[in-house]
Amino acid sequence: MKMQFATVAISLAALTLGGCGKKVDTASNNGAAAPMNSVNTIEPAPVAESAGQTFANAAAASDTFEIESSRLAQANSQSTSVKKFAESMIKAHTDSTAKLGQAASASSPAIVPKPILSSAQQQSLDALKGKKGADFDAAYIEAQTKGHKETLDTLKAYSASGEVPSLKEFAAKLIPIVTAHLNMAKGLKS
């Protein structure tokens, strides 16, 4: 009895192992989904972004937010000072995007910034889209103040302990500019 059980167990193991690593022919199934071998369905673990990539993405998203929200200000603001500030933000953050691209491409390996807005940035932008006049101005000033404060904190942190020299230099050079933008935003009146 023990011998029969051992023979059956060995046979099952051999059959199971015999199917491992074989390709599944999907062409002969007339379009039907072919069963997949579990060995073929394992996906590689996602690769974590480097701190340099994370910083570049945050800086790119900040520029994108500033530019897009300032374009809205040009259309929806009633304040001349807000419109003038918005115009300067579009220029400054367009320049910042170009400098970020240069600093990121100078890294080794090169980094490509991904300007994907955070959910908070997207929510803020969406909220601005629904406002006009004085309501828009108040919300825009608040968004600019908050955004520049967050960007300043990010720049300071990366310039102090970042891993990519060209991005550290970019961050350090941008600190006084973003500080000035933050002070300008705080001085705006709706």
Side-chain angles (χ1 to χ4, degrees):
M1 183 77 148
K2 284 185 180 181
M3 185 60 122
Q4 283 180 324
F5 178 72
T7 304
V8 169
I10 291 171
S11 297
L12 283 174
L15 286 172
T16 302
L17 291 174
C20 287
K22 288 187 177 177
K23 284 191 165 186
V24 176
D25 182 13
T26 57
S28 64
N29 282 345
N30 295 328
M36 292 192 68
N37 182 332
S38 64
V39 173
N40 295 332
T41 60
I42 297 174
E43 292 184 28
V47 178
E49 285 185 342
S50 69
Q53 182 70 59
T54 301
F55 169 76
N57 292 351
S62 174
D63 283 342
T64 299
F65 175 77
E66 298 301 335
I67 292 167
E68 293 304 314
S69 62
S70 293
R71 285 182 180 151
L72 288 173
Q74 290 182 318
N76 298 340
S77 175
Q78 71 177 13
S79 167
T80 304
S81 63
V82 167
K83 287 183 178 190
K84 188 178 250 185
F85 175 80
E87 183 179 328
S88 68
M89 290 304 97
I90 292 169
K91 182 182 179 338
H93 288 280
T94 300
D95 291 346
S96 172
T97 297
K99 290 176 183 173
L100 173 62
Q102 292 168 352
S105 66
S107 67
S108 181
I111 292 173
V112 177
K114 299 173 191 158
I116 300 168
L117 297 180
S118 70
S119 60
Q121 288 169 322
Q122 187 62 58
Q123 287 174 352
S124 181
L125 195 59
D126 290 343
L128 287 172
K129 288 177 183 176
K131 298 184 184 303
K132 296 226 183 274
D135 289 341
F136 176 88
D137 291 340
Y140 175 75
I141 292 167
E142 180 182 331
Q144 290 297 307
T145 302
K146 181 180 178 191
H148 281 95
K149 174 71 175 114
E150 289 172 358
T151 298
L152 185 57
D153 292 344
T154 301
L155 293 170
K156 286 179 177 179
Y158 198 82
S159 70
S161 61
E163 64 187 30
V164 179
S166 60
L167 290 176
K168 279 181 76 165
E169 183 180 343
F170 164 81
K173 286 181 177 178
L174 220 55
I175 289 172
I177 296 168
V178 173
T179 301
H181 291 175
L182 176 60
N183 291 334
M184 289 167 55
K186 286 179 178 178
L188 287 172
K189 304 287 184 227
S190 58

